[in-house]
Amino acid sequence: MGVLWLILASIVPAYGEELSAERTRHLMIIKGAQLPTLLGAQLDDYHLESVQQAGLEPIAFQFDEFDQQGNPYFANSGTPIDGKQGVLDGSDELVFMYRDAGPKRNAQINPRQGNVALELQLWDGQEARYVYLVKGGSAQSDKHYVRYDSAKTRVETDDYVLQFADNNLLHWQAHYYKHYQDPSKNLIKGLDLNIHFTVFTPWTQATLTQEQLKPQIIGIKGGPVRAIVEMDTMVKLAGVSFPFAKLRMSYVFSQGEVASISWGQIPYVGLLMKAVYGFDFIDAINFNDLRGSKVMSGKGPREAGVVDGEVAGVEKQLAIGGIVGDVKHPETLHLEDNYLCLDTGRGYVHLAMQEFYPEALSGKERKALEDNLTLFTSALGVQYLDDLTHGPELGYRMGLNAKDIHLDLSGSMEMRFGVRRFFLPMLDAGGPAQFEREFRHPPVLRVIAI
């Protein structure tokens, strides 16, 4: 444990209070709309700096642009950019690591090149941290928190390595964690991603796995703070010649996280609801011999289960919360008590959280969710296996009986959802509940013109 504290101390800046496990690896994401005075500015004209021991110094950052469907923009996707390429638009995102922010500068501290345009104050608790958007100059940080190798289909960060097989990013082959007691151990057997359908009759079934879902990569952006890989796929059901769903999938890699975010469009939703009796969707990681690890979930029980080769006792009670809030006011919708956590106690913690994007819902989809909110919430569950072949498997399951869904929809239906997976050396005293609470309540931003 002493070694782990030394590891954490080595990656936390000296400024201010010691950062929590979440804030140490927290990505600050600032929308262009939050920087109104810079809308329309050329992205290449700006960089980020913070006050370090030697004064203002460049920090790692990137601007990411998005398309009109709300996905990361890549020309090969065929979806137009939202705004103008290379120019700051409202949907663009400025991204940097929270821990790279520093103390407030005084008037005598100026960048070596260029001029400070904006002061970004990040308020979290009792102390504010600051970064400065600088216009002009060529100063850049040489820090890269993440490195994606497209030739090897492999991502490496300061914390982990994730290797994919067969040029299929849904086929997880190996995962190493640099702070685990054995950094050379492959921690996973693979990703269990499948959709099981009951179609036309209760006795006719079909299953799609990541082996059938071989997405085509349509764009890769390697940035110093996060790397984005955009994929496109078309799914067919039970040999039916028309596609029943179109999926755009993004992997977003950062130092301590892999986020898989999907945008789905069902063009024939009415026909699908008549054809499908029910379905189960599973998104889980099959770990490799991590016996003795503790497993916990957002809705308890408070006592942790132990990976020991069988599912018994509290492990049978693992549960998560659902969507809460007022559907008529999408800004209030959020997932609550949703985490799943596996803690090896040996320098590796895996913590997962589902993600929901209510701002992506149109009025039509919002009404459908309002009519079916209780049903969808009860359908969210835990996928947990622990036996001789699973050591263990932990993730999310959503099971729905389609005939119970009340939808009055014509044409297409769209939604955005995701799973975020965090890899940590250890948790704080507040455990995974503290991590989820901090993640869902990021530092408050205040923009100050200079």
Side-chain angles (χ1 to χ4, degrees):
M1 292 298 290
V3 173
L4 289 178
W5 282 117
L6 287 174
I7 290 169
L8 284 175
S10 69
I11 59 177
V12 174
Y15 170 66
E17 77 280 8
E18 185 177 273
L19 296 182
S20 66
E22 197 283 331
R23 292 297 190 249
T24 298
R25 291 166 177 79
H26 184 86
L27 289 185
M28 284 301 306
I29 301 174
I30 299 174
K31 284 287 188 181
Q34 295 174 274
L35 308 171
T37 61
L38 296 188
L39 290 175
Q42 294 291 324
L43 299 180
D44 289 344
D45 289 346
Y46 293 86
H47 68 274
L48 272 187
E49 299 193 7
S50 68
V51 175
Q52 309 294 329
Q53 292 181 351
L56 272 174
E57 296 288 343
I59 64 172
F61 81 101
Q62 63 195 75
F63 284 106
D64 294 326
E65 300 180 277
F66 290 78
D67 64 26
Q68 294 179 10
Q69 290 177 337
N71 300 307
Y73 171 70
F74 293 98
N76 289 340
S77 72
T79 303
I81 192 170
D82 185 4
K84 184 177 180 181
Q85 191 169 4
V87 168
L88 184 66
D89 301 298
S91 61
D92 294 345
E93 291 182 352
L94 169 63
V95 187
F96 58 95
M97 298 289 284
Y98 173 73
R99 75 164 185 250
D100 283 340
K104 184 179 178 67
R105 76 176 187 124
N106 60 46
Q108 286 72 46
I109 300 178
N110 291 297
R112 298 174 188 174
Q113 302 177 27
N115 299 292
V116 174
L118 291 178
E119 178 182 84
L120 306 181
Q121 181 191 79
L122 313 175
W123 185 260
D124 185 37
Q126 299 182 13
E127 186 174 35
R129 303 171 76 93
Y130 297 83
V131 297
Y132 295 89
L133 203 57
V134 177
K135 181 178 182 180
S138 57
Q140 296 289 334
S141 169
D142 59 3
K143 178 65 177 177
H144 278 71
Y145 290 101
V146 59
R147 299 161 291 282
Y148 180 77
D149 188 330
S150 57
K152 297 180 179 179
T153 325
R154 165 191 176 106
V155 62
E156 182 173 3
T157 78
D158 289 355
D159 286 352
Y160 68 86
V161 173
L162 186 57
Q163 177 70 56
F164 305 95
D166 306 322
N167 202 33
N168 183 349
L169 271 72
L170 301 181
H171 189 174
W172 291 27
Q173 184 179 52
H175 171 49
Y176 307 97
Y177 195 65
K178 298 180 180 181
H179 306 312
Y180 185 63
Q181 67 175 15
D182 180 4
S184 65
K185 176 181 174 64
N186 179 12
L187 296 169
I188 64 167
K189 293 180 180 178
L191 180 69
D192 183 6
L193 181 67
N194 68 73
I195 310 172
H196 182 76
F197 296 92
T198 304
V199 293
F200 301 117
T201 73
W203 305 276
T204 307
Q205 300 182 351
T207 299
L208 294 170
T209 71
Q210 62 263 43
E211 301 303 325
Q212 287 85 42
L213 295 172
K214 293 186 176 180
Q216 177 184 1
I217 295 177
I218 57 176
I220 299 171
K221 179 176 181 180
V225 181
R226 65 181 183 184
I228 301 173
V229 181
E230 188 79 359
M231 300 165 283
D232 199 1
T233 187
M234 192 70 75
V235 184
K236 295 185 179 182
L237 175 60
V240 176
S241 59
F242 62 85
F244 81 92
K246 182 177 180 180
L247 293 177
R248 284 272 301 276
M249 295 176 285
S250 302
Y251 267 131
V252 183
F253 305 107
S254 59
Q255 180 187 344
E257 179 188 2
V258 175
S260 55
I261 302 170
S262 300
W263 170 84
Q265 182 185 59
I266 305 174
Y268 307 101
V269 65
L271 181 59
L272 178 65
M273 290 298 101
K274 291 181 179 179
V276 174
Y277 273 66
F279 68 90
D280 287 297
F281 174 74
I282 294 173
D283 188 339
I285 294 179
N286 190 357
F287 292 95
N288 183 25
D289 188 24
L290 294 181
R291 294 204 174 199
S293 300
K294 295 182 178 180
V295 289
M296 294 155 279
S297 60
K299 290 202 74 173
R302 292 188 177 183
E303 179 186 354
V306 178
V307 177
D308 56 6
E310 64 174 325
V311 179
V314 297
E315 294 166 277
K316 291 183 177 181
Q317 304 172 47
L318 295 176
I320 56 172
I323 302 169
V324 297
D326 185 351
V327 182
K328 295 179 180 179
H329 301 279
E331 68 278 3
T332 68
L333 293 176
H334 63 284
L335 290 164
E336 195 170 86
D337 298 327
N338 187 254
Y339 69 80
L340 296 174
C341 181
L342 178 143
D343 188 348
T344 65
R346 300 187 291 274
Y348 175 74
V349 177
H350 166 70
L351 194 148
M353 285 187 286
Q354 287 177 316
E355 194 67 283
F356 175 62
Y357 301 89
E359 68 277 5
L361 299 177
S362 69
K364 179 176 61 176
E365 283 104 13
R366 203 174 302 157
K367 180 63 166 59
L369 183 61
E370 181 177 359
D371 292 341
N372 297 275
L373 185 59
T374 301
L375 177 64
F376 278 104
T377 296
S378 63
L380 299 176
V382 178
Q383 170 73 4
Y384 179 68
L385 300 172
D386 182 15
D387 53 36
L388 295 178
T389 59
H390 301 86
E393 179 173 300
L394 182 66
Y396 294 97
R397 172 189 289 271
M398 183 174 72
L400 278 173
N401 189 335
K403 66 181 181 181
D404 293 333
I405 303 176
H406 306 290
L407 295 175
D408 182 17
L409 297 175
S410 59
S412 66
M413 181 177 182
E414 299 180 9
M415 64 179 64
R416 193 180 309 279
F417 53 93
V419 174
R420 308 187 75 143
R421 296 181 169 93
F422 301 89
F423 312 123
L424 310 164
M426 62 192 306
L427 290 167
D428 302 295
Q434 175 186 337
F435 189 99
E436 180 180 22
R437 183 171 60 253
E438 291 182 354
F439 172 77
R440 299 202 186 280
H441 297 87
V444 177
L445 171 71
R446 182 186 176 203
V447 180
I448 304 168
I450 303 298

